[in-house]
């Protein structure tokens, strides 16, 4: 199998670069036929400054789940570009926020071309899978998808129909240089499909209005020293939650002590203050079962009010997350750890003061309802029953086609009946077969109703449609249609009759438990195929099957 990889001595150009999971990678190019590198770098610096201003405007008070959007000026393959990679963790909304920012930048600078991919490759094409042309598949999608002037543009195949003629797949693969050469060539055209663009950018419709919806404010009981850290920079909460969520036995060791002086954030001088989380981080923190370490064993446990106990429990987990973040050597090189260490040094040196109770006021913010953590089973049941809520932007939110919904309802209903029947077992759970039978009945009805349409088959229209859809050349289509015209219709009818008869025999034999039923069905099928002239066989005395040509040869 050819993968395009070159070994040492064959022009080795490095191992293929893979994008880590939960990361989105993006590059911005200034494309021009006669652009000097110094002009390109000046333009890229303008884009970089505009990106900084745009993020400040859009993301005031925003907290990224793991890493923030950032662009750095780099030089790759002799070309100056802006490049960035953002680890969005479990927050898929962060990935789409990156795409939104890139699209807005492309609108501000029409002469830049943006490429964005993740661990799955061209995820924008995955979003628009139902609207893609038949020739565009993951094997040849690299460097074909670009964002320019707010639009999604595709580089088409250089030789339409080449894949239909069986050309080598490698001829359809693009490199960066080939893609840029195509973009800069005034004689080449790019594909812009509004249908593909709407599907690919569908998730961007909610931006920028819903950026703040990914955050959650919650009253939390934490040490005053920790409140001082979070007041300095709210974004420190993300690496702390990550340290708690991804903890291991080594990270837990610093917590297994009763000596409060050995802890960076001991459970003394506790205050209740409003803490801003990402919704994903808040769910990760509150959903995990975590036994309080010895120093926190009795903190908040004696409270009668469940709400206060939850505030104390959340604060305990958050403080433990910060403790593990600062103590575990694997985090020592993170910028957040170094900055927090500097803040603590300023506090110990007397250059900073702990916030007072008045300083820790809620600032007009309220403890937000966290009912969004609960699964809405009513909505799930509505979708299951095919009664999804209407979405004015995209129609009904129920999933699947009507036939799929009907089958799903049948599966659930019959599964419930099997569970209610105490005498029923796995051998009685035949509801899937019944559904297949229903589908067969529906398909037979559709076949009977469309027989007239098949009789009026228009070969010219079919040929034009296939050429337009698959990009097949005229000679290939003519060869296909001629083979269809020359095949005897009577033989095709005999084939259909023989196989239909064989299906009936097999079905009837499956209902009969006689051991000879299968042999009889096979013999009957063989007879029907021989009568139709499809299977020309003869049987030797020893039971070996050979063809008539082999007989004549012997």
């Amino acid at each position: 199998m050819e993968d395009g990889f070159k070994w040492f001595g064959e022009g080795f150009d490095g191992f293929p670069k893979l994008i880590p999971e939960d990361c989105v990678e993006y590059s911005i190019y200034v494309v021009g036929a006669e652009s000097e590198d110094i002009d390109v770098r000046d333009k890229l610096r303008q884009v970089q400054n505009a990106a900084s201003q745009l993020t400040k405007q859009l993301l005031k008070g925003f907290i990224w789940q793991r890493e923030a959007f950032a662009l750095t000026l780099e030089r790759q393959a002799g070309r100056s570009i802006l490049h960035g990679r953002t680890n969005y963790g479990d927050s898929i909304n962060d990935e789409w926020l990156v795409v939104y920012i890139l699209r807005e930048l492309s609108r501000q600078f029409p002469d830049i071309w943006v490429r964005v991919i993740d661990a799955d490759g061209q995820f924008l094409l995955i979003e628009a899978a139902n609207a893609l042309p038949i020739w565009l598949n993951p094997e040849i999608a690299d460097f074909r998808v670009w964002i320019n002037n707010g639009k999604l543009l595709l580089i088409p195949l250089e030789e339409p129909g080449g894949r239909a003629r069986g050309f080598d797949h490698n001829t359809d693969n693009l490199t960066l240089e080939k893609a840029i050469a195509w973009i800069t060539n005034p004689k080449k055209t790019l594909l812009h499909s509004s249908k593909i663009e709407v599907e690919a950018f569908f998730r961007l419709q909610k931006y920028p209005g819903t950026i703040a919806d990914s955050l959650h404010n919650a009253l939390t009981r934490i040490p005053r020293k920790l409140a001082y850290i979070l007041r300095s920079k709210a974004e420190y909460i993300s690496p702390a939650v990550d340290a708690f969520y991804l903890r291991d036995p080594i990270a837990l060791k610093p917590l297994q002590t009763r000596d409060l002086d050995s802890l960076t954030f001991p459970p003394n001088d506790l205050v209740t203050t409003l803490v801003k989380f990402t919704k994903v981080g808040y769910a990760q923190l509150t959903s995990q079962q975590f036994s309080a370490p010895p120093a926190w064993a009795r903190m908040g446990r004696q409270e009668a009010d469940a709400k206060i106990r939850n505030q104390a429990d959340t604060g305990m987990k958050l403080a433990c997350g910060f403790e593990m973040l600062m103590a575990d050597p694997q985090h020592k090189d993170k910028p957040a750890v170094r900055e927090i260490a500097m803040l603590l040094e300023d506090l110990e040196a007397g250059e900073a003061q702990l916030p007072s109770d008045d300083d820790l006021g809620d600032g007009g913010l309220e403890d937000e309802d966290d009912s969004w953590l609960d699964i809405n089973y009513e909505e799930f049941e509505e979708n299951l029953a095919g009664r999804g809520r209407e979405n004015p932007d995209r129609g009904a939110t129920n999933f699947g086609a009507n036939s799929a919904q009907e089958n799903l309802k049948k599966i659930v209903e019959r599964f419930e009946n099997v569970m209610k029947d105490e005498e029923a077992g796995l051998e009685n759970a035949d509801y899937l077969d019944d559904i297949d039978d229903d589908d067969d009945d529906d398909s037979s009805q559709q076949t009977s109703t469309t027989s007239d349409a098949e009789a009026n088959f228009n070969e010219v229209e079919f040929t034009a449609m296939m050429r337009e859809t698959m990009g097949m050349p005229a000679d290939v289509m003519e060869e296909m249609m001629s083979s269809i015209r020359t095949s005897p219709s009577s033989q095709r009818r005999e084939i259909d009759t023989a196989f239909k008869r064989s299906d009936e025999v097999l079905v009837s034999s499956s209902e009969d438990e006689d051991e000879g039923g299968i042999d009889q069905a096979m013999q009957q099928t063989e007879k029907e195929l021989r009568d139709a002239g499809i299977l020309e066989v003869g049987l030797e005395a020893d039971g070996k099957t050979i063809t008539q040509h082999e007989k004549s040869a012997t």
Side-chain angles (χ1 to χ4, degrees), residues 115 117 121-122 137-145 173-175 179:
R115 180 171 178 261
I117 56 177
Q122 303 291 342
N137 58 61
E139 296 178 357
I140 62 171
D142 287 345
F143 300 105
R144 292 191 183 276
V145 186
N173 292 333
L174 279 182
T175 63

Side-chain angles (χ1 to χ4, degrees), residues 30 34-46 73 75 78-80:
V30 174
E34 300 179 356
S35 298
E36 297 291 338
D37 185 66
I38 186 171
D39 297 331
V40 170
R41 294 177 70 87
D42 288 341
K43 173 63 70 172
L44 291 176
R45 289 192 182 95
Q46 295 178 24
L73 186 60
R75 192 166 181 82
R79 182 183 297 273
S80 297

Side-chain angles (χ1 to χ4, degrees), residues 224-243:
R224 192 179 298 270
K225 186 188 293 187
L226 180 54
Y228 158 74
I229 296 296
L230 291 176
R231 274 176 56 84
S232 301
K233 192 174 182 179
E235 290 85 344
Y236 293 148
I237 197 168
S238 290
V241 171
D242 220 33

Side-chain angles (χ1 to χ4, degrees), residues 187-205:
K187 297 181 180 181
K188 301 291 187 180
T189 59
L190 294 167
L191 298 180
H192 175 248
S193 169
S194 58
K195 185 178 180 181
I196 296 176
E197 184 176 274
V198 167
E199 291 292 327
F201 289 157
F202 178 77
R203 300 199 196 195
L204 303 186
Q205 294 180 4

Side-chain angles (χ1 to χ4, degrees), residues 11-38:
F12 177 74
D13 53 1
F15 293 100
K17 295 180 180 180
L18 300 178
I19 300 177
E21 290 291 331
D22 303 330
C23 286
V24 57
E25 189 171 88
Y26 36 93
S27 303
I28 297 179
Y29 301 82
V30 174
V31 176
E34 300 179 356
S35 298
E36 297 291 338
D37 185 66
I38 186 171

Side-chain angles (χ1 to χ4, degrees), residues 299-373:
M299 297 296 173
R301 303 287 179 175
Q302 68 278 11
E303 297 290 345
D305 191 340
K307 189 174 183 179
I308 296 179
R309 287 201 306 271
N310 289 337
Q311 294 174 1
D313 186 66
T314 303
M316 177 268 296
K317 293 178 180 178
L318 184 59
C320 290
F322 271 95
E323 199 73 48
M324 288 184 281
L325 176 68
M326 300 303 296
D328 196 336
Q330 68 174 332
H331 302 306
K332 65 180 181 179
D333 293 329
K334 292 184 177 181
V337 173
R338 295 196 297 266
E339 293 174 9
I340 293 174
M342 293 176 62
L343 290 173
L344 294 176
E345 290 175 1
D346 293 341
L347 194 62
E348 293 178 0
E351 299 178 3
Q353 300 294 326
L354 290 175
S356 64
D357 292 342
D358 294 335
D359 295 333
L360 295 174
D362 54 22
L365 298 176
E366 298 180 358
D367 188 17
E368 296 179 354
D369 183 19
D370 60 0
S371 59
W372 51 268
L373 287 169

Side-chain angles (χ1 to χ4, degrees), residues 10-204:
E10 300 177 350
F12 177 74
D13 53 1
F15 293 100
K17 295 180 180 180
L18 300 178
I19 300 177
E21 290 291 331
D22 303 330
C23 286
V24 57
E25 189 171 88
Y26 36 93
S27 303
I28 297 179
Y29 301 82
V30 174
V31 176
E34 300 179 356
S35 298
E36 297 291 338
D37 185 66
I38 186 171
D39 297 331
V40 170
R41 294 177 70 87
D42 288 341
K43 173 63 70 172
L44 291 176
R45 289 192 182 95
Q46 295 178 24
V47 176
Q48 194 175 26
N49 294 332
S52 178
Q53 295 296 325
L54 181 62
T55 53
K56 289 180 180 178
Q57 176 185 348
L58 293 176
L59 308 180
K60 186 177 181 179
F62 183 77
I63 300 176
W64 295 88
Q65 177 63 23
R66 280 195 182 169
E67 295 177 356
F69 172 84
L71 291 170
T72 58
L73 186 60
E74 298 181 4
R75 192 166 181 82
Q76 294 183 4
R79 182 183 297 273
S80 297
I81 67 169
L82 288 177
H83 178 264
R85 177 186 290 177
T86 297
N87 187 331
Y88 54 85
D90 291 335
S91 180
I92 192 67
N93 286 337
D94 283 7
E95 180 179 25
W96 287 102
L97 179 55
V98 168
V99 178
Y100 174 76
I101 294 173
L102 293 171
R103 190 181 69 169
E104 293 304 302
L105 286 175
S106 73
R107 285 175 173 168
Q108 292 185 27
F109 299 90
D111 54 346
I112 67 171
W113 293 76
V114 181
R115 180 171 178 261
V116 55
I117 56 177
D118 65 6
D120 295 325
Q122 303 291 342
F123 65 95
L124 293 178
L125 295 186
I126 297 175
E127 288 291 309
N130 293 331
L132 296 181
I134 193 170
W135 57 266
L136 188 55
N137 58 61
E139 296 178 357
I140 62 171
D142 287 345
F143 300 105
R144 292 191 183 276
V145 186
W146 297 85
I147 301 175
N148 173 254
N149 200 16
K151 298 178 181 179
L152 186 72
L153 301 176
L154 304 176
I155 297 179
L157 291 179
E158 188 170 2
E159 299 183 33
R163 297 178 66 80
R165 295 193 294 269
F167 285 179
D168 187 355
H169 290 181
N170 290 333
T171 62
D172 294 330
N173 292 333
L174 279 182
T175 63
L176 175 61
E177 293 303 322
K178 289 181 179 179
I180 293 179
W182 185 289
I183 292 172
T184 56
N185 190 340
K187 297 181 180 181
K188 301 291 187 180
T189 59
L190 294 167
L191 298 180
H192 175 248
S193 169
S194 58
K195 185 178 180 181
I196 296 176
E197 184 176 274
V198 167
E199 291 292 327
F201 289 157
F202 178 77
R203 300 199 196 195
L204 303 186

